């Protein structure tokens, strides 16, 4: 079963959120031991999964805190895959007072946090000579955003470029780095936002599980020759 994840330890950031939670559920049901990370430990999701007989644990760190990220990653008995999913998308306007501070937060969470996480994970995986890193970018990196503000679009553009940088660096170490770029997905992040579904060929927003499944695929043996790829999962709003 090349798509199963039996025995793999997979760390998922942003696991209290819409896509992260479903990623934990899908990976756990495929046999992985999931470690759910967020700013507050997602114990409810981890407890639910363990009550169903799956292997799950909750940990807490802020992705912008390098020391905290490294402490958790280095404390895991082993780590087969990391899903860099934590993200922040304020729906604001760059003319607003105080916007520059928000810009820094968005870059810190979406980009600097990604550096902290993948740097630490790469070092652990390099010890074993194998591993998977899946980075959650966005259709915003492809099209300049459907409704998102400038900071988020710039951060996700940087994310998608970084996927290729990291993939080149990691591949000779036996570690595959790939990415999923979701379109508009119904999660707490998009609550209260209106998307023009008439402009989406599939005429609907996506569900978090529909992003979780491609993420799980990228962690599996099924993606064994994929390197630096971005899967566009967006109902057809952007076709590469
Ligand atoms: N929902 C969408 O339409 C959409 C579209 C494209 C890309 N994405 C991306 O998908 C990923 C998941 O988003 P989602 O829609 O599930 O959003 P969400 O808001 O439901 O979940 C995001 C999670 O990230 C966590 N997080 C934020 N800042 C953090 C920090 N400093 N440290 C640790 N955790 C932090 C939050 O606590 C939250 O649980 C994000 O990277 C997002 O940019 C989402």
């Amino acid at each position: 079963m090349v798509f199963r994840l039996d025995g793999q330890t997979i760390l998922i950031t942003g696991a209290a959120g819409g896509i992260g939670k479903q990623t934990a559920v899908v990976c756990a049901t495929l046999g992985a031991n999931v470690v759910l990370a967020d700013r507050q430990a997602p114990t409810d999701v981890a407890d639910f999964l363990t009550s169903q007989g799956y292997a799950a644990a909750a940990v807490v760190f802020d992705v912008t805190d390098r020391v905290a990220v490294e402490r958790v990653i280095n404390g895991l008995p082993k780590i087969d895959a990391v899903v860099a999913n934590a993200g922040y998308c304020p729906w604001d306007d760059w003319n607003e007072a105080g916007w520059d501070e928000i810009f820094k937060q968005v870059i810190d969470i979406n980009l600097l946090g990604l550096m902290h996480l993948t740097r630490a994970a790469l070092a652990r995986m390099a010890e074993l000579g194998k591993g998977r890193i899946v980075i959650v970018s966005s259709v915003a990196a492809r099209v300049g955003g459907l409704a998102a503000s400038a900071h988020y679009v710039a951060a996700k553009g940087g994310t998608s470029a970084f996927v290729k940088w990291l993939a080149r660096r990691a591949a000779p170490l036996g570690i595959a780095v790939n990415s999923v770029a979701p379109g508009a997905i119904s999660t707490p992040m998009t609550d209260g936002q209106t998307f023009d579904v008439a402009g989406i060929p599939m005429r609907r927003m996506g569900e978090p599980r529909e992003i979780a499944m491609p993420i799980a695929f990228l962690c599996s043996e099924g993606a064994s020759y994929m390197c630096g790829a971005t899967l566009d999962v967006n109902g057809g709003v952007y076709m590469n």
Side-chain angles (χ1 to χ4, degrees):
M1 283 301 294
V2 292
F3 302 114
R4 289 209 44 101
L5 301 170
D6 297 298
Q8 284 202 34
T9 298
I10 302 183
L11 175 76
I12 302 155
T13 67
I19 292 170
K21 178 178 175 179
Q22 285 305 313
T23 300
V25 171
V26 169
C27 290
T29 54
L30 286 169
N33 174 4
V34 289
V35 181
L36 297 92
D38 212 299
R39 272 185 297 207
Q40 283 166 355
T43 42
D44 53 341
V45 189
D47 289 350
F48 168 74
L49 286 169
T50 47
S51 75
Q52 301 297 305
Y54 300 114
V59 295
V60 60
F61 60 75
D62 186 314
V63 291
T64 65
D65 182 342
R66 179 172 176 172
V67 172
V69 170
E70 291 179 352
R71 190 184 305 122
V72 170
I73 297 238
N74 293 334
L76 292 173
K78 73 173 182 115
I79 184 158
D80 299 290
V82 162
V83 180
N85 167 72
Y88 180 44
C89 179
W91 304 93
D92 55 17
D93 184 284
W94 70 349
N95 288 306
E96 286 171 20
W99 190 83
D100 295 8
E101 277 312 307
I102 306 292
F103 175 90
K104 287 176 190 155
Q105 287 174 24
V106 172
I107 297 298
D108 276 1
I109 294 170
N110 293 303
L111 271 180
L112 184 60
L114 184 57
M115 305 295 139
H116 295 337
L117 184 76
T118 56
R119 187 197 296 114
L122 195 70
R124 283 299 307 276
M125 291 171 179
E127 291 165 11
L128 297 176
K130 65 186 176 80
R132 296 289 174 88
I133 296 176
V134 181
I135 294 172
V136 181
S137 184
S138 171
V139 71
R142 300 287 207 187
V143 303
L146 302 177
S149 186
H151 40 39
Y152 182 81
V153 172
K156 290 299 185 180
T159 299
S160 282
F162 174 69
V163 169
K164 295 174 186 171
W165 182 90
L166 188 64
R168 277 209 184 86
R169 195 181 177 104
L173 305 173
I175 300 154
V177 180
N178 292 289
S179 170
V180 174
I185 310 300
S186 302
T187 70
M189 183 176 278
T190 53
D191 263 2
Q193 293 304 308
T194 311
F195 291 90
D196 176 17
V197 293
I200 302 172
M202 290 183 79
R203 300 284 188 268
R204 64 175 178 85
M205 291 176 70
E207 295 301 323
R209 188 174 163 80
E210 294 178 296
I211 304 302
M213 292 186 285
I215 291 172
F217 162 69
L218 289 174
C219 293
S220 77
E221 191 194 341
S224 58
Y225 198 52
M226 294 186 68
C227 174
T230 293
L231 298 181
D232 294 295
V233 188
N234 56 45
V237 81
Y238 171 82
M239 300 180 191
N240 189 20

